[in-house]
């Protein structure tokens, strides 16, 4: 039942009441407030309203590696990224990610890691961000630090991703590609934090922390 | 009417669990029974729906700590009113939105119904979890198409139509045929609603709305690596069709202690030489936390001692591993050339030497008298004969004399590479084989392999 019908059937006072109800209900109440290790999520750039995305399309310039873009659609499985610890530092399944923690973001469909390096991005001339590696294994340039206020990365938070090796922030400034990925926005690395480098988790599969210890440590 | 609907139900019996069952047991029981009792699976059973409802009610109460306490204390009537979740919700948290289809008709691979993408999530699990089983809760936040009023055309395609123009005369024409789909305004497809009051516009423009629910993924006991658990309909949505599936792929992580091969568990244990020869007891903590106490007789460091000479065992490191400080035993050993050499400890006078020998014999006889039968029963493998393999460079045996009677014999088998010119030492590997038909204690061997003495013996051997 849409909003229009409500107007017809109820008086104005009731209308205000309904509005308030809807407003209150639309405040998200999560069963799990934190972003945890092993979760598979979509990341929305809050300034430009696009989701971090990758696909089997390579850059025509720069490194020639797999491209990373921002897309508008909310139902594309190529926008899912898996949150993992840095190389040789497996993080425990379901453990909340701390602010400042170093992580890797592995593209779910292609198994490549979010990556940056000293190449120039094709549209804006900033630092290129690509997807690199095979089956989740790449190199040290795949590591990003989650920047947020507070102790843990909360799902409601806008956070930033700082590239550990080159200190740039994962950002979008609005440049758009043409054919064959028309309408998708360029994702690049930029010095200095800004509203262009804020991201939030949206859709995804969030793994809850386990109650019992997963491993018995004594031998 | 009210009376009949509140007949007492034993929720524990419905789920088939004990009253002290853990939450994990309850989830496991529910999932197993839900698959069996679903009405779609039992179309011929008139009571199927009721049984299924009972199952849902039982799970709802027993899986909630508060409700379970109330039920245990006061029974079903004692429960507070209001059921918050329908059974459909409970079922779909274990199997997904379209989970009920899997039992009867698998989801139609109808090319006319487009399907959203599948999502595959790697789920890392520990070997402990595989051993004992576990449930992992995940929160699925997904976009769901919100329906607006009215219909729209979708899935438009070309089709051939045959029309009859007259008797015996037909005409085939191409036509555009469309389906009718619910009206959905997706924010992700470029058509944004605009309204001065943003709040109202979001109500006026129903779009893909995000919904959230908790799913329960079971890590079944003994599950294999790469096994997939699907949740039907929990994947990516498709505006004009059905959503894809969410599949969890089990990834078993390497365990620091145990390795799984088939359904067996293997572990490597480092032991000393004397433990290898004599046997030992060891505590190993199993994957579910309980301790084992094992007595292992024949122990493998990749090989089998006592008889099989194809494989080798470099044990010099083990000898270095322990040092016996005080005891310096007298050992008589016999060379292949039948030369008998005695070497007493320089620290002991002849009387004390004798004392040592006696010490051994006394201990030895203690063992043989008291426990010989028990030990030989327990460890029959000790009675193996020695096989000297071809290729051994030398062998020599040690005889331990006790009051003049040969009570114990060890055979020392050595394989050495050809000595190179100017090389100080050879590269050799050794076997020590118990040739006697009796059993030796750990203490005995400790005394025998006192490191300094043995080292001396090796040097002596090579200087020859």
């Amino acid at each position: 039942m849409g909003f229009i019908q409500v107007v017809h059937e109820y008086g104005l006072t009731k209308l205000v009441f309904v509005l308030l109800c809807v407003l209150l209900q639309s405040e998200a109440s999560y069963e799990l407030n934190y972003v945890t290790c092993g979760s598979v999520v979509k990341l929305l750039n809050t300034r430009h309203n696009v989701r971090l995305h990758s696909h089997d399309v390579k850059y025509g310039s720069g490194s020639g590696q797999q491209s990373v873009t921002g897309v508008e659609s909310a139902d594309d499985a190529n926008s899912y990224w898996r949150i993992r610890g840095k190389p040789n530092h497996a993080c425990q399944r379901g453990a909340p990610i701390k602010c400042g923690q170093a992580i890797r973001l592995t593209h779910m469909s292609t198994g490549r890691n979010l990556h940056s390096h000293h190449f120039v991005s094709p549209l804006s001339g900033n630092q290129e961000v690509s997807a690199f590696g095979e089956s989740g294994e790449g190199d040290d340039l795949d590591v990003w630090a989650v920047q947020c206020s507070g102790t843990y990365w909360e799902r409601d938070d806008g956070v930033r991703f700082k590239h550990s090796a080159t200190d740039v922030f994962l950002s979008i400034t609005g440049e758009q590609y043409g054919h064959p990925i028309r309408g998708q926005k360029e994702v690049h690395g930029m010095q200095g934090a800004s509203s262009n480098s804020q991201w939030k988790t949206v859709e995804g599969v969030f793994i809850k922390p386990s109650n019992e210890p997963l491993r018995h440590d004594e031998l | 009417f009210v009376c009949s609907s509140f007949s007492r139900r034993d929720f524990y019996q419905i789920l088939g669990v004990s009253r002290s069952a853990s939450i994990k047991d309850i989830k496991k029981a529910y999932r197993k029974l839900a698959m069996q009792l679903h009405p779609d699976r039992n179309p011929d059973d008139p009571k199927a729906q009721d049984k299924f409802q009972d199952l849902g009610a039982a799970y709802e109460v027993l899986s909630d700590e508060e409700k379970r306490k109330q039920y245990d204390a006061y029974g079903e009537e004692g429960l507070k009113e209001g059921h918050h979740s329908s059974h459909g919700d409970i079922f779909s948290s274990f199997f997904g939105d379209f989970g009920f289809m899997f039992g009867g008709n698998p989801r139609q691979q109808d090319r006319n119904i487009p399907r959203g993408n599948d999502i595959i999530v790697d789920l890392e699990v520990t070997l402990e979890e595989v051993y004992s089983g576990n449930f992992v809760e995940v929160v699925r936040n997904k976009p769901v198409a919100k329906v607006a009023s009215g219909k729209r055309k979708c899935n438009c395609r070309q089709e051939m139509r045959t029309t009859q123009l007259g008797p015996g005369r037909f005409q085939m024409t191409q036509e555009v045929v469309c389906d009718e789909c619910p009206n959905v305004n997706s924010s992700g497809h470029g058509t944004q609603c605009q309204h001065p009051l943003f709040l109202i516009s979001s109500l006026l423009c129903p779009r893909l709305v995000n919904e959230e629910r908790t799913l329960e993924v079971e890590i079944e006991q003994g599950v294999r690596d790469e096994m997939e658990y699907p949740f039907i309909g929990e994947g990516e949505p498709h505006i004009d069709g059905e959503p894809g599936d969410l599949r969890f792929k089990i990834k078993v992580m390497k365990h620091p202690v145990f390795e799984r091969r088939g359904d067996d568990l293997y572990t490597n244990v480092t032991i000393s030489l004397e433990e290898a020869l004599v046997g030992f007891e060891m505590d190993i903590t199993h994957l579910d936390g309980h301790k084992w106490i094992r007595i292992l007789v024949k122990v493998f460091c990749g090989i089998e001692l006592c008889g099989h000479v194809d494989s080798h065992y470099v044990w010099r490191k083990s000898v270095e591993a322990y040092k016996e400080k005080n005891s310096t035993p007298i050992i008589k050993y016999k060379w292949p050339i039948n030369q008998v050499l005695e070497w007493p400890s320089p620290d002991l006078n002849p009387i004390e030497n004798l004392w040592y020998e006696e010490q051994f014999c006394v201990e030895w006889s203690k063992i043989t008298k008291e426990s010989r039968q028990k030990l030989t029963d327990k460890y029959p493998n000790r009675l193996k004969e020695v096989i000297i393999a071809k290729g051994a460079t030398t062998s020599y045996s040690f005889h331990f004399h006790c009051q003049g009677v040969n009570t114990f014999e060890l055979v020392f088998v050595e394989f050495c590479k050809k000595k190179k010119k100017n090389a100080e030492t050879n590269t050799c590997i050794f076997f020590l084989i118990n040739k006697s038909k009796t059993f030796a204690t750990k203490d005995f061997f400790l005394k025998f392999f006192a490191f300094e003495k043995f080292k001396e013996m090796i040097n002596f051997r090579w200087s020859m």
Side-chain angles (χ1 to χ4, degrees), chain A residues 31 42 80 93 155 204 206, chain B residues 124 129 139 212 214 236:
Chain A
E31 277 205 46
K42 287 189 185 175
Y80 279 108
R93 186 193 76 215
R155 288 173 61 194
F206 297 86
Chain B
E124 285 182 340
E129 288 181 298
V139 173
E212 219 168 81
T214 300
E236 286 300 83

Side-chain angles (χ1 to χ4, degrees), chain A residues 1-5 19 22-23 29-32 38-40 42 49 51 72-78 80 82 84 90-91 93 108 155 202-210 212 214-219, chain B residues 117-126 128-129 134 136-143 188-190 199-200 203-204 208 210 212 214 219 236-237 239 246 248 253-257 284-285 287-289 291:
Chain A
M1 168 165 104
F3 182 75
I4 314 276
Q5 277 172 285
L19 238 183
V22 172
L23 278 175
S29 58
Y30 297 131
E31 277 205 46
L32 171 63
S39 299
V40 174
K42 287 189 185 175
N49 218 32
R51 284 162 174 78
E72 282 187 346
S73 62
D75 56 357
D76 192 333
N78 272 334
Y80 279 108
R82 190 151 160 254
R84 299 163 65 209
C91 54
R93 186 193 76 215
M108 189 191 80
R155 288 173 61 194
V202 280
E203 298 81 23
V205 179
F206 297 86
I207 301 180
K208 279 186 166 179
S210 284
E212 300 163 11
L214 296 180
R215 203 191 276 291
H216 297 280
D217 283 322
E218 355 99 59
L219 171 59
Chain B
N117 296 127
D118 284 348
I119 300 172
I120 302 175
V121 176
D122 285 345
L123 194 67
E124 285 182 340
V125 303
T126 61
E128 282 87 353
E129 288 181 298
N134 202 0
V136 182
E137 289 185 351
V138 306
V139 173
R140 170 69 175 127
N141 180 306
K142 65 180 181 182
H189 289 253
L199 282 169
I200 298 183
L203 296 170
L204 277 171
L208 285 177
N210 282 15
E212 219 168 81
T214 300
I219 302 169
E236 286 300 83
I239 290 295
L246 171 61
F248 288 93
M253 296 193 287
K254 221 166 166 230
H255 197 271
V257 174
I284 302 175
T285 307
L287 287 172
D288 60 1
K291 283 175 155 51

Side-chain angles (χ1 to χ4, degrees), chain A residues 67-96:
Chain A
S67 58
V68 171
T69 61
V71 298
E72 282 187 346
S73 62
D75 56 357
D76 192 333
N78 272 334
S79 308
Y80 279 108
W81 299 82
R82 190 151 160 254
I83 297 176
R84 299 163 65 209
K86 55 183 190 178
N88 305 319
H89 277 80
C91 54
Q92 199 189 55
R93 186 193 76 215

Side-chain angles (χ1 to χ4, degrees), chain A:
Chain A
M1 168 165 104
F3 182 75
I4 314 276
Q5 277 172 285
V6 172
V7 173
H8 282 219
E9 285 170 353
Y10 296 91
L12 191 63
T13 45
K14 284 231 169 115
L15 185 71
V16 175
F17 179 74
V18 168
L19 238 183
L20 274 169
C21 272
V22 172
L23 278 175
L24 287 168
Q25 271 169 11
S26 68
E27 217 173 63
S29 58
Y30 297 131
E31 277 205 46
L32 171 63
N33 285 323
Y34 302 122
V35 180
T36 58
C37 185
S39 299
V40 174
V41 303
K42 287 189 185 175
L43 292 163
L44 180 80
N45 182 293
T46 49
R47 168 86 177 75
H48 295 274
N49 218 32
V50 289
R51 284 162 174 78
L52 190 69
H53 180 92
S54 190
H55 38 214
D56 199 7
V57 174
K58 301 216 186 324
Y59 282 120
S61 62
S63 67
Q65 289 174 9
Q66 182 169 306
S67 58
V68 171
T69 61
V71 298
E72 282 187 346
S73 62
D75 56 357
D76 192 333
N78 272 334
S79 308
Y80 279 108
W81 299 82
R82 190 151 160 254
I83 297 176
R84 299 163 65 209
K86 55 183 190 178
N88 305 319
H89 277 80
C91 54
Q92 199 189 55
R93 186 193 76 215
I97 305 287
K98 293 194 181 117
C99 289
Q101 187 171 338
I103 59 166
R104 284 180 291 180
L105 290 166
T106 304
H107 188 234
M108 189 191 80
S109 335
T110 59
R112 300 204 156 100
N113 297 328
L114 191 70
H115 182 93
S116 191
H117 40 207
H118 290 304
F119 280 94
V120 174
S121 66
L123 302 180
S124 65
N126 285 302
Q127 184 166 300
E128 187 192 86
V129 167
S130 64
F132 173 76
E134 291 298 324
S135 308
E137 295 312 306
D139 64 19
D140 289 332
L141 296 177
D142 301 340
V143 181
W144 301 78
V146 179
Q147 289 212 341
C148 46
S149 53
T151 323
Y152 292 107
W153 179 3
E154 294 191 22
R155 288 173 61 194
D156 274 339
D157 271 356
V159 303
R160 293 192 171 87
F161 298 101
K162 192 173 190 196
H163 191 233
S164 298
T166 60
D167 284 345
V168 297
F169 288 92
L170 189 72
S171 324
I172 297 184
T173 42
E175 300 82 12
Q176 281 189 28
Y177 289 102
H179 180 75
I181 47 175
R182 188 176 300 280
Q184 296 187 16
K185 300 218 159 109
E186 184 195 82
V187 169
H188 49 243
M190 264 173 80
Q191 295 285 348
S194 69
S195 61
N196 287 321
S197 50
Q198 254 201 359
W199 301 81
K200 201 173 87 141
T201 58
V202 280
E203 298 81 23
V205 179
F206 297 86
I207 301 180
K208 279 186 166 179
S210 284
N211 296 325
E212 300 163 11
L214 296 180
R215 203 191 276 291
H216 297 280
D217 283 322
E218 355 99 59
L219 171 59

